[in-house]
Amino acid sequence: MYAQALDNEFAREVRAGLMSAGQKTLPCRYLYDDIGSALFEAITCLPEYGLTRADARVIQAHAGDVVRSLGNDLVVAELGSGTGTKTRAILEALARATRTRRPASMPAYYPIDVSAAALAKCARELAHLAVVHPVERSYLEGLAHAARHRAPGQTLLVLFLGSTIGNFEPDAALEFLSGVRQALSRGDGLLLGTDLVKPAAQLIEAYDDPTGVNAAFNLNLLGRINRELDADFNLRQFAHEIRYDAERQRIEMHLRSLVNQRVRIRKAGVVVDFAAKETIWTESCHKFRAGQIGDMARTGGFRLDQQWIDAEWGFAENLLVAV
Ligand code: AVI
């Protein structure tokens, strides 16, 4: 059973994160099974969580500027597209620009996601605006695929929206930007959404909403381990906890053990002891200052071409161009 357990990447990472000598951790990408993805959708509707609405507002207002900046012979690829809801405005602007040049043709769109269900919905809903090529792969593999398939002379516009870059550790974010750059050619674009630093109380309310949706999203990670790795976490004995580290500009999401307890995770081959008050660190959400993005862009091999800010929530959409 033990060897079989370690064949499974999820089991291996859960084991490593919960058996480490210091702070227990779990990788945030495992928050998104079917239940977690549905809960995240619900988070984006919460009045306290303005991030997604701000992202959509800026894209809606500036989709035409993005298309004009990069020339209108564009192929669009989106990292972590989900169902592609926010991309509609970009594809509409591009379809308008394309129609004036070649009335019969539609732009190509490569949504990249690990969820087959989300990709299928995306392909159905955007088929009238673009030729949709769903890519069920990791971000960088999917991007390499899209880059290989563009026609000569076409410019690639990569979308990385919703401030997902904030869920990377700062070094990993820079490494990721360099990885994106390597898949691109000079002159290609990256539209990068970044949530901005705001008052701690506002951030805490966004990630610890009174309805408890963020809490359910966080606790579902333990539920997922129970379901997929045959574990016996008692979810009622853990509490959602949000902290803000102002110096590091990040929200930290934890699960706090309410009692001394022992948990068996059979398919990871481990028994984990939790002391009362001990936490599992499940996610970091880094926030940015508008002035930091240009430096990040340069380090990753881009220049910051334009930046649009939503003043209502504090969110920047950044158009980076590969140099
Ligand atoms: C997906 N990501 C940008 C969200 C965020 O705000 O960092 C994930 C999230 N975690 C808790 N609530 C939302």
Side-chain angles (χ1 to χ4, degrees):
M1 177 200 105
Y2 192 73
Q4 188 189 3
L6 295 187
D7 281 349
N8 174 330
E9 194 183 351
F10 183 33
R12 259 198 320 273
E13 293 197 48
V14 166
R15 181 184 155 85
L18 296 185
M19 295 307 281
S20 76
Q23 169 71 58
K24 291 181 169 64
T25 59
L26 287 169
C28 65
R29 70 174 187 285
Y30 293 114
L31 290 162
Y32 300 90
D33 65 347
D34 285 351
I35 298 176
S37 300
L39 288 167
F40 179 65
E41 278 294 313
I43 289 172
T44 66
C45 304
L46 290 170
E48 296 83 8
Y49 188 86
L51 189 158
T52 311
R53 287 183 295 281
D55 194 14
R57 270 195 302 272
V58 189
I59 293 172
Q60 188 67 45
H62 295 288
D65 297 325
V66 172
V67 169
R68 270 190 297 280
S69 297
L70 294 174
N72 52 20
D73 196 4
L74 286 183
V75 173
V76 180
E78 181 170 8
L79 310 178
S81 60
T83 57
T85 319
K86 279 180 286 192
T87 314
R88 184 178 288 263
I90 301 270
L91 293 177
E92 279 168 357
L94 187 53
R96 273 194 302 277
T98 309
R99 263 198 303 275
T100 55
R101 237 173 359 97
R102 280 180 287 158
S105 79
M106 283 210 276
Y109 169 48
Y110 291 82
I112 300 164
D113 207 283
V114 289
S115 163
L119 286 172
K121 187 164 183 223
C122 176
R124 271 195 312 278
E125 292 188 353
L126 297 177
H128 63 295
L129 289 174
V131 181
V132 183
H133 304 274
V135 187
E136 193 184 333
R137 298 200 195 166
S138 69
Y139 293 155
L140 293 182
E141 281 174 17
L143 183 56
H145 171 88
R148 270 197 306 275
H149 285 81
R150 66 162 131 185
Q154 285 189 311
T155 301
L156 189 55
L157 165 62
V158 182
L159 309 176
F160 195 33
L161 307 174
S163 203
T164 303
I165 190 84
N167 298 129
F168 290 69
E169 287 308 310
D171 286 352
L174 290 177
E175 203 178 305
F176 182 73
L177 282 184
S178 304
V180 171
R181 172 64 188 88
Q182 272 166 35
L184 302 184
S185 302
R186 190 177 303 180
D188 286 339
L190 168 63
L191 188 65
L192 181 70
T194 48
D195 198 24
L196 299 180
V197 169
K198 43 187 70 62
Q202 188 183 354
L203 283 171
I204 295 210
E205 200 66 1
Y207 289 91
D208 193 6
D209 58 289
T211 316
V213 187
N214 278 280
F217 174 68
N218 195 9
L219 283 161
N220 175 59
L221 184 49
L222 303 185
R224 179 177 185 178
I225 296 173
N226 283 349
R227 291 186 295 275
E228 295 184 22
L229 300 181
D230 193 11
D232 58 5
F233 277 103
N234 179 348
L235 273 57
R236 295 188 191 281
Q237 294 189 164
F238 287 85
H240 173 66
E241 185 172 299
I242 290 298
R243 306 174 188 165
Y244 183 57
D245 183 332
E247 200 185 320
R248 295 193 170 86
Q249 300 176 196
R250 73 176 179 215
I251 282 284
E252 294 177 8
M253 192 161 83
H254 292 253
L255 288 163
R256 179 176 290 280
S257 176
L258 298 176
V259 293
N260 291 320
Q261 53 185 320
R262 171 166 284 185
V263 176
R264 269 170 203 76
I265 311 175
R266 290 178 189 82
K267 290 191 180 164
V270 289
V271 173
V272 188
D273 286 320
F274 292 91
K277 300 196 179 150
E278 182 179 10
T279 73
I280 313 171
W281 189 349
T282 52
E283 188 181 49
S284 297
C285 313
H286 292 85
K287 304 298 161 187
F288 301 87
R289 297 193 188 278
Q292 290 178 309
I293 311 296
D295 290 340
M296 275 174 64
R298 266 188 298 284
T299 312
F302 294 89
R303 72 179 157 77
L304 177 61
D305 187 70
Q306 295 191 64
Q307 184 177 67
W308 301 280
I309 292 180
D310 180 74
E312 190 180 325
W313 174 260
F315 187 95
E317 212 70 72
N318 311 280
L319 181 60
L320 277 50
V321 174
V323 291

